[in-house]
């Protein structure tokens, strides 16, 4: 999809926080940030096809929409395994614990998108946020957040599998999708 860059997507250690309406109303605002993160990860040596992407949040307004978009973008960017909390719910400490979990490489998470604006109020008129935690379970280091920001300022396209089905987040279990 063709997109236009935004100059206000500089993440801090707690990610990108804005009013929910910014994410809802600005065309591809969420998508630009997610694609910039994927691009920066690849540029810094992360193999998106190896391991899993963890995805969840605090359940605030817009999480469900954001999760479905991120799933479709992850698939388009070559992510082969996505782990999503039931109903899209995963707290930041839970995400860190899951990332640090030992197991075979194909199950190990290379990182996570966490959808939260932390202590800020949520809702249609309030705040939404997205942050990326790295393979060590902690927040993205400044080197990565700077790389993400640079991409957000120049991005012209985002990848998304538009034919990818919606995933039922209420069900426990696995969904296998071939694309």
């Amino acid at each position: 999809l063709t997109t236009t860059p935004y100059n206000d997507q500089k993440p801090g250690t707690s990610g990108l926080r804005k009013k929910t309406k910014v994410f809802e109303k600005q065309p591809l605002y969420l998508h630009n940030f997610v694609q910039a993160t994927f691009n920066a990860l690849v540029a810094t040596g992360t193999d998106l096809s190896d391991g899993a992407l963890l995805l969840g949040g605090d359940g605030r307004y817009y999480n469900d929409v954001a999760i479905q978009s991120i799933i479709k973008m992850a698939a388009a960017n070559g992510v082969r395994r996505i782990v999503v909390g039931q109903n899209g719910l995963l707290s930041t400490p839970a995400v860190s614990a899951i990332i640090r979990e030992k197991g075979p490489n194909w199950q190990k998470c290379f990182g996570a998108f966490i959808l939260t604006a932390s202590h800020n109020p949520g809702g249609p008129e309030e705040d939404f946020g997205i942050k990326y935690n790295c393979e060590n379970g902690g927040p993205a280091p400044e080197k990565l957040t700077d790389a993400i920001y640079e991409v957000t300022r120049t991005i012209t396209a985002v990848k998304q599998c538009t034919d990818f089905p919606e995933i039922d987040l209420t069900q426990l279990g696995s969904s296998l999708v071939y694309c």
Side-chain angles (χ1 to χ4, degrees), residues 6 10 13-14 20-21 24 32 47 63 108 139 164 174:
Y6 293 100
K10 182 155 180 63
T13 55
S14 294
T20 304
K21 286 187 182 228
E24 283 187 302
N32 280 21
D47 181 356
N63 269 15
K108 192 111 176 75
F164 201 90
S174 296

Side-chain angles (χ1 to χ4, degrees), residues 20 27 38 47 53 68 73 78 88 120 129 133 146-147 155 168:
T20 304
F38 285 138
D47 181 356
L53 174 68
Q68 296 295 344
M73 293 184 70
N120 296 0
N133 274 25
D146 287 347
I155 194 167
D168 183 353

Side-chain angles (χ1 to χ4, degrees), residues 8-22:
D8 65 344
Q9 292 192 322
K10 182 155 180 63
T13 55
S14 294
L16 179 67
R17 292 182 189 163
K18 300 286 181 190
K19 291 295 184 191
T20 304
K21 286 187 182 228
V22 172

Side-chain angles (χ1 to χ4, degrees), residues 21-33:
K21 286 187 182 228
V22 172
F23 286 93
E24 283 187 302
K25 305 293 184 199
Q26 302 254 14
L28 300 175
Y29 193 84
L30 171 74
H31 299 70
N32 280 21
F33 185 80

Side-chain angles (χ1 to χ4, degrees), residues 1-78:
L1 302 172
T2 302
T3 191
T4 303
Y6 293 100
N7 288 321
D8 65 344
Q9 292 192 322
K10 182 155 180 63
T13 55
S14 294
L16 179 67
R17 292 182 189 163
K18 300 286 181 190
K19 291 295 184 191
T20 304
K21 286 187 182 228
V22 172
F23 286 93
E24 283 187 302
K25 305 293 184 199
Q26 302 254 14
L28 300 175
Y29 193 84
L30 171 74
H31 299 70
N32 280 21
F33 185 80
V34 171
Q35 186 65 56
T37 303
F38 285 138
N39 291 1
L41 287 168
V42 170
T44 57
T46 300
D47 181 356
L48 300 180
S49 69
D50 187 31
L53 174 68
L54 187 57
L55 177 56
D58 59 12
R60 68 182 57 223
Y61 179 84
Y62 194 65
N63 269 15
D64 55 343
V65 173
I67 287 170
Q68 296 295 344
S69 294
I70 294 168
I71 290 170
K72 292 175 182 187
M73 293 184 70
N77 278 278

